[in-house]
Amino acid sequence: MANNLVIVESPAKVKTIKKFLGSTYEVDASNGHVRDLPKSSLGFDAEHDYEPKYITIRGKGDILAKLRKEVKKADKIYLATDPDREGEAISWHLMKALKLDEAKDKKVYRISFNEITKNAVKASLKAPRAIDMNLVDAQQTRRMLDRMVGYRISPLLWAKVKRGLSAGRVQSVALRMICDREEEIEAFIPEEYWNLEADFSQKGSKKTLNAKFYGTRDEKIAIHKKEELDQILAALEGKDYVVEDVKYGERSKKPPIPFTTSTLQQEASKALNFATSKTMRIAQQLYEGVDIKGSGTVGLITYLRTDSTRISEEADANARAYVGKAYGEEYVAETASEQKQKNDGKNIQDAHEAIRPSDVTRVPAEIKESLTRDQFRLYQLIWKRFVASRMQPAKYETTSVKIGADDYRFTVSASKIIFEGFRLAYVESDEEKQSGNVMVKSIDKDSELTKESFDYKQHFTQPPAHYTEASLVKTLEELGIGRPSTYAPTISTIITRRYVAKENKNLYMTELGEVVNNIMKQSFTSIVDVNFTAYMEGLLDMIAEGKVEWKSVISNFYPDLNEAVEKAEKELETVKIEDEVTDVVCEECGRNMVIKYGPHGKF
């Protein structure tokens, strides 16, 4: 009889983990959170020390009743929710909802694993621990801060603008960033500049050499106007062109580091055209387990919410062994491609690894028929990036040539790959295109060249680019706003709420988004302040590390917010946003119908 009970978050994991553990273990799922703050109220009492009031989430009664029955039968209960703050909080809520902290006859443990493999699950059972209340407090504080902003500011937007709007602690900052970028783009004044190139031939060679205008011997010159270009062309008339310097060298390009949540979202957006929410949804499927022909349900990747680029020693050794076998020993990296973590590692989401395949020998092509098209593409991206991170740098032979004509100078640079290294496995989507120059062989210092033709074009400087989902995630991460788990829902919310429209990957402000952003900037300056939001994120990290008391963060934040809301209720003007009128006539009343927006988009 099963006298051990393992409780996980997702039903998708149950079958896989049960297979690993055998008949003495019962495995069941909580289906995510079981308790939360009530929907009908703020969920805490500001007058009484901000103690949160939790209730059972609607629809979770049957799940808890089933879990209580299983708990009765078991001697040992293992809480095996996800290995992050959210997972830690779910374990604590389960402990409370199932009254496990009051059960004297039961042994209750918290276990966590980074990947759903037999080794990882078995190892976690050998290293059980108590629930980490610092992590629980950090999650609880984030939830309460988000609730405060959402529940206090959203009704104000309903009253002053229109029903159904919302504000959010991270979403409002993301909205402001998009709005600020649009303002920069609108205020941008293009400046004219010209490019000048020349094609040269050398005696005895049929190939021409394309060179770019550099400037004078002493300084680089930018050509701003056609008059400046004409002066240079006139001065070059009839001049002799001589090779003044030839340098040969080598450069190497380091392999990429394995994916974090943020870099995976960015690369999947660029390479696969996935929205951040789609990347997370498919990564969740790969992590929880996919039915693989001949192997049953298999967790294909490690945990998908991580800031870390660390890789376990075992995974590192396995990857190197695979690279040696598949590509040859000369391709195996001497040392792992590590990257110094920001803030000496303070930002790392607990003790996670990077996102990698759970088994590197599970080659994408070999399991392709067991995966959907999107699962295959994302798994292949993760697999290739991880394998490449354990390979040698790529090596290039470089040539740079300086060509003089009187006081002016042209330059040529070319590179040729001489050792593919990690590029055999993986090339990043936006890797610079290789130089089109094929070097003229045997070009020496003092060689005389003949100018065949000039080529010049007028250009204008470009405004900053609109944010895309990928560049917004990158900037949010660089600024220390939000965490891996928050990027996708934040972006989804501002698009669903129609504050931002997405066209050809670019994010644009809507009229509604502009109105909401202006209200937030006017009345809630700190909420939409990038530095303040990053500072709050730092405080959440300090709670997780046990360095700051969670209630002190809440009690410092709420009174200021409350005051700002009360002031805005009195002083803010009502803003009317007109509905978009169509040319479709209503059968009932004969008036033109308007476009409305509901939970499923426009109708």
Short mmCIF file of all heavy atoms in Angstrom, two decimals, residues 160-193:
data_model
loop_
_atom_site.label_atom_id
_atom_site.label_comp_id
_atom_site.label_asym_id
_atom_site.label_seq_id
_atom_site.Cartn_x
_atom_site.Cartn_y
_atom_site.Cartn_z
N LYS A 160 -13.06 57.06 -14.34
CA LYS A 160 -12.61 58.26 -15.09
C LYS A 160 -12.50 58.03 -16.60
O LYS A 160 -12.48 58.97 -17.37
CB LYS A 160 -11.24 58.73 -14.56
CG LYS A 160 -11.23 59.08 -13.07
CD LYS A 160 -11.97 60.36 -12.78
CE LYS A 160 -11.91 60.72 -11.30
NZ LYS A 160 -12.69 61.92 -10.98
N VAL A 161 -12.32 56.77 -17.02
CA VAL A 161 -12.15 56.52 -18.46
C VAL A 161 -13.26 55.60 -18.98
O VAL A 161 -14.20 56.03 -19.62
CB VAL A 161 -10.75 55.93 -18.79
CG1 VAL A 161 -10.53 55.87 -20.30
CG2 VAL A 161 -9.65 56.76 -18.15
N LYS A 162 -13.16 54.31 -18.71
CA LYS A 162 -14.24 53.39 -19.11
C LYS A 162 -14.11 52.08 -18.35
O LYS A 162 -13.02 51.73 -17.87
CB LYS A 162 -14.23 53.16 -20.63
CG LYS A 162 -13.01 52.43 -21.18
CD LYS A 162 -12.97 52.45 -22.69
CE LYS A 162 -14.00 51.53 -23.28
NZ LYS A 162 -13.81 51.36 -24.75
N ARG A 163 -15.19 51.35 -18.29
CA ARG A 163 -15.20 50.07 -17.54
C ARG A 163 -14.25 49.06 -18.17
O ARG A 163 -13.97 49.11 -19.36
CB ARG A 163 -16.61 49.49 -17.51
CG ARG A 163 -17.58 50.26 -16.64
CD ARG A 163 -18.97 49.63 -16.65
NE ARG A 163 -19.00 48.33 -15.96
CZ ARG A 163 -19.02 48.19 -14.63
NH1 ARG A 163 -19.00 49.25 -13.84
NH2 ARG A 163 -19.05 46.99 -14.09
N GLY A 164 -13.77 48.14 -17.34
CA GLY A 164 -12.96 47.04 -17.85
C GLY A 164 -11.49 47.32 -17.98
O GLY A 164 -10.72 46.48 -18.43
N LEU A 165 -11.05 48.52 -17.58
CA LEU A 165 -9.61 48.83 -17.66
C LEU A 165 -8.90 48.30 -16.43
O LEU A 165 -9.51 48.00 -15.41
CB LEU A 165 -9.40 50.34 -17.78
CG LEU A 165 -10.05 51.02 -18.98
CD1 LEU A 165 -9.69 52.49 -19.00
CD2 LEU A 165 -9.60 50.37 -20.27
N SER A 166 -7.58 48.23 -16.50
CA SER A 166 -6.83 47.80 -15.31
C SER A 166 -5.48 48.49 -15.27
O SER A 166 -4.95 48.91 -16.28
CB SER A 166 -6.63 46.28 -15.34
OG SER A 166 -5.63 45.96 -16.29
N ALA A 167 -4.96 48.57 -14.05
CA ALA A 167 -3.57 49.02 -13.85
C ALA A 167 -2.83 47.87 -13.20
O ALA A 167 -3.45 47.02 -12.55
CB ALA A 167 -3.55 50.24 -12.94
N GLY A 168 -1.53 47.82 -13.36
CA GLY A 168 -0.75 46.76 -12.73
C GLY A 168 0.63 47.27 -12.42
O GLY A 168 1.14 48.17 -13.11
N ARG A 169 1.25 46.69 -11.43
CA ARG A 169 2.54 47.20 -10.96
C ARG A 169 3.61 47.11 -12.05
O ARG A 169 4.37 48.06 -12.27
CB ARG A 169 2.97 46.41 -9.72
CG ARG A 169 3.92 47.12 -8.79
CD ARG A 169 4.14 46.28 -7.55
NE ARG A 169 4.58 44.94 -7.89
CZ ARG A 169 5.82 44.60 -8.18
NH1 ARG A 169 6.77 45.51 -8.17
NH2 ARG A 169 6.14 43.36 -8.47
N VAL A 170 3.68 45.99 -12.76
CA VAL A 170 4.69 45.84 -13.82
C VAL A 170 4.11 46.27 -15.17
O VAL A 170 4.79 46.89 -15.97
CB VAL A 170 5.22 44.39 -13.87
CG1 VAL A 170 6.25 44.22 -14.98
CG2 VAL A 170 5.89 44.03 -12.53
N GLN A 171 2.82 45.96 -15.39
CA GLN A 171 2.23 46.28 -16.71
C GLN A 171 2.22 47.78 -16.95
O GLN A 171 2.44 48.24 -18.08
CB GLN A 171 0.82 45.68 -16.83
CG GLN A 171 -0.28 46.64 -16.46
CD GLN A 171 -1.67 46.03 -16.49
OE1 GLN A 171 -1.88 44.86 -16.23
NE2 GLN A 171 -2.64 46.86 -16.78
N SER A 172 2.01 48.59 -15.90
CA SER A 172 1.94 50.05 -16.10
C SER A 172 3.31 50.62 -16.46
O SER A 172 3.40 51.58 -17.23
CB SER A 172 1.39 50.73 -14.84
OG SER A 172 0.07 50.27 -14.60
N VAL A 173 4.37 50.01 -15.93
CA VAL A 173 5.73 50.45 -16.29
C VAL A 173 6.04 50.06 -17.73
O VAL A 173 6.60 50.84 -18.50
CB VAL A 173 6.79 49.83 -15.34
CG1 VAL A 173 8.19 50.23 -15.75
CG2 VAL A 173 6.53 50.28 -13.92
N ALA A 174 5.67 48.83 -18.11
CA ALA A 174 5.90 48.36 -19.49
C ALA A 174 5.17 49.27 -20.47
O ALA A 174 5.71 49.66 -21.52
CB ALA A 174 5.43 46.92 -19.64
N LEU A 175 3.93 49.65 -20.11
CA LEU A 175 3.14 50.55 -20.95
C LEU A 175 3.85 51.90 -21.10
O LEU A 175 3.95 52.45 -22.19
CB LEU A 175 1.76 50.74 -20.32
CG LEU A 175 0.74 51.54 -21.13
CD1 LEU A 175 0.37 50.81 -22.41
CD2 LEU A 175 -0.51 51.83 -20.32
N ARG A 176 4.36 52.41 -19.99
CA ARG A 176 5.05 53.70 -20.03
C ARG A 176 6.28 53.62 -20.95
O ARG A 176 6.58 54.53 -21.71
CB ARG A 176 5.49 54.10 -18.63
CG ARG A 176 6.20 55.44 -18.70
CD ARG A 176 6.85 55.88 -17.45
NE ARG A 176 7.50 57.16 -17.71
CZ ARG A 176 7.79 58.03 -16.76
NH1 ARG A 176 7.49 57.79 -15.51
NH2 ARG A 176 8.40 59.16 -17.07
N MET A 177 7.03 52.50 -20.84
CA MET A 177 8.23 52.35 -21.67
C MET A 177 7.88 52.39 -23.16
O MET A 177 8.58 53.02 -23.97
CB MET A 177 8.95 51.04 -21.32
CG MET A 177 9.69 51.10 -19.99
SD MET A 177 10.09 49.46 -19.34
CE MET A 177 11.10 48.79 -20.64
N ILE A 178 6.77 51.72 -23.52
CA ILE A 178 6.35 51.71 -24.93
C ILE A 178 5.94 53.11 -25.35
O ILE A 178 6.27 53.58 -26.45
CB ILE A 178 5.21 50.69 -25.14
CG1 ILE A 178 5.74 49.26 -24.90
CG2 ILE A 178 4.62 50.80 -26.54
CD1 ILE A 178 4.66 48.21 -24.76
N CYS A 179 5.24 53.80 -24.45
CA CYS A 179 4.78 55.17 -24.75
C CYS A 179 5.97 56.13 -24.89
O CYS A 179 6.02 56.94 -25.82
CB CYS A 179 3.86 55.64 -23.63
SG CYS A 179 2.77 56.96 -24.17
N ASP A 180 6.94 56.02 -23.98
CA ASP A 180 8.14 56.87 -24.05
C ASP A 180 8.89 56.66 -25.36
O ASP A 180 9.40 57.60 -25.97
CB ASP A 180 9.08 56.58 -22.86
CG ASP A 180 8.54 57.14 -21.55
OD1 ASP A 180 7.51 57.85 -21.59
OD2 ASP A 180 9.12 56.85 -20.48
N ARG A 181 8.97 55.39 -25.79
CA ARG A 181 9.66 55.07 -27.05
C ARG A 181 8.93 55.72 -28.23
O ARG A 181 9.55 56.25 -29.14
CB ARG A 181 9.74 53.54 -27.21
CG ARG A 181 10.35 53.03 -28.52
CD ARG A 181 11.78 53.44 -28.73
NE ARG A 181 12.71 52.98 -27.74
CZ ARG A 181 13.36 51.82 -27.77
NH1 ARG A 181 13.17 50.97 -28.76
NH2 ARG A 181 14.23 51.52 -26.81
N GLU A 182 7.59 55.67 -28.21
CA GLU A 182 6.82 56.29 -29.29
C GLU A 182 7.07 57.80 -29.35
O GLU A 182 7.18 58.39 -30.42
CB GLU A 182 5.32 56.03 -29.09
CG GLU A 182 4.99 54.55 -29.19
CD GLU A 182 3.93 54.23 -30.21
OE1 GLU A 182 3.14 55.09 -30.56
OE2 GLU A 182 3.94 53.07 -30.68
N GLU A 183 7.16 58.41 -28.15
CA GLU A 183 7.43 59.85 -28.10
C GLU A 183 8.81 60.17 -28.68
O GLU A 183 8.98 61.15 -29.40
CB GLU A 183 7.31 60.36 -26.67
CG GLU A 183 5.86 60.51 -26.21
CD GLU A 183 5.72 60.79 -24.73
OE1 GLU A 183 6.74 61.11 -24.07
OE2 GLU A 183 4.60 60.68 -24.21
N GLU A 184 9.78 59.31 -28.36
CA GLU A 184 11.14 59.48 -28.92
C GLU A 184 11.10 59.40 -30.45
O GLU A 184 11.76 60.17 -31.15
CB GLU A 184 12.06 58.35 -28.44
CG GLU A 184 12.77 58.58 -27.14
CD GLU A 184 13.64 57.36 -26.83
OE1 GLU A 184 14.67 57.16 -27.50
OE2 GLU A 184 13.29 56.58 -25.93
N ILE A 185 10.34 58.42 -30.94
CA ILE A 185 10.25 58.21 -32.39
C ILE A 185 9.62 59.44 -33.06
O ILE A 185 10.09 59.92 -34.09
CB ILE A 185 9.45 56.92 -32.72
CG1 ILE A 185 10.25 55.68 -32.25
CG2 ILE A 185 9.13 56.81 -34.21
CD1 ILE A 185 9.47 54.38 -32.24
N GLU A 186 8.55 59.94 -32.43
CA GLU A 186 7.85 61.11 -33.00
C GLU A 186 8.72 62.36 -32.97
O GLU A 186 8.66 63.20 -33.86
CB GLU A 186 6.54 61.36 -32.25
CG GLU A 186 5.41 60.46 -32.78
CD GLU A 186 4.19 60.49 -31.88
OE1 GLU A 186 3.96 61.53 -31.24
OE2 GLU A 186 3.49 59.46 -31.81
N ALA A 187 9.55 62.49 -31.92
CA ALA A 187 10.36 63.71 -31.77
C ALA A 187 11.65 63.64 -32.59
O ALA A 187 12.40 64.61 -32.68
CB ALA A 187 10.70 63.91 -30.29
N PHE A 188 11.90 62.48 -33.20
CA PHE A 188 13.18 62.26 -33.88
C PHE A 188 13.30 63.10 -35.15
O PHE A 188 12.37 63.18 -35.95
CB PHE A 188 13.32 60.77 -34.23
CG PHE A 188 14.61 60.43 -34.90
CD1 PHE A 188 15.76 60.25 -34.17
CD2 PHE A 188 14.68 60.29 -36.29
CE1 PHE A 188 16.96 59.95 -34.79
CE2 PHE A 188 15.88 59.99 -36.92
CZ PHE A 188 17.02 59.82 -36.16
N ILE A 189 14.43 63.77 -35.31
CA ILE A 189 14.68 64.54 -36.54
C ILE A 189 15.79 63.85 -37.32
O ILE A 189 16.93 63.76 -36.85
CB ILE A 189 15.09 66.00 -36.21
CG1 ILE A 189 13.95 66.69 -35.44
CG2 ILE A 189 15.45 66.77 -37.47
CD1 ILE A 189 14.34 67.94 -34.73
N PRO A 190 15.46 63.31 -38.53
CA PRO A 190 16.48 62.56 -39.29
C PRO A 190 17.60 63.48 -39.78
O PRO A 190 17.37 64.65 -40.08
CB PRO A 190 15.70 62.00 -40.48
CG PRO A 190 14.29 62.40 -40.31
CD PRO A 190 14.18 63.39 -39.21
N GLU A 191 18.82 62.92 -39.80
CA GLU A 191 19.96 63.68 -40.32
C GLU A 191 20.50 62.98 -41.56
O GLU A 191 20.61 61.77 -41.60
CB GLU A 191 21.06 63.78 -39.25
CG GLU A 191 20.68 64.71 -38.11
CD GLU A 191 21.75 64.77 -37.03
OE1 GLU A 191 22.88 64.29 -37.29
OE2 GLU A 191 21.45 65.27 -35.93
N GLU A 192 20.88 63.79 -42.53
CA GLU A 192 21.37 63.26 -43.81
C GLU A 192 22.82 62.80 -43.65
O GLU A 192 23.61 63.41 -42.92
CB GLU A 192 21.30 64.39 -44.84
CG GLU A 192 21.77 64.01 -46.22
CD GLU A 192 21.79 65.21 -47.17
OE1 GLU A 192 21.51 66.35 -46.72
OE2 GLU A 192 22.11 65.00 -48.34
N TYR A 193 23.18 61.69 -44.33
CA TYR A 193 24.60 61.33 -44.47
C TYR A 193 24.78 60.51 -45.75
O TYR A 193 23.80 60.02 -46.31
CB TYR A 193 25.11 60.56 -43.23
CG TYR A 193 24.56 59.16 -43.06
CD1 TYR A 193 25.25 58.04 -43.51
CD2 TYR A 193 23.33 58.96 -42.43
CE1 TYR A 193 24.75 56.76 -43.34
CE2 TYR A 193 22.81 57.68 -42.26
CZ TYR A 193 23.53 56.58 -42.71
OH TYR A 193 23.02 55.32 -42.56
#
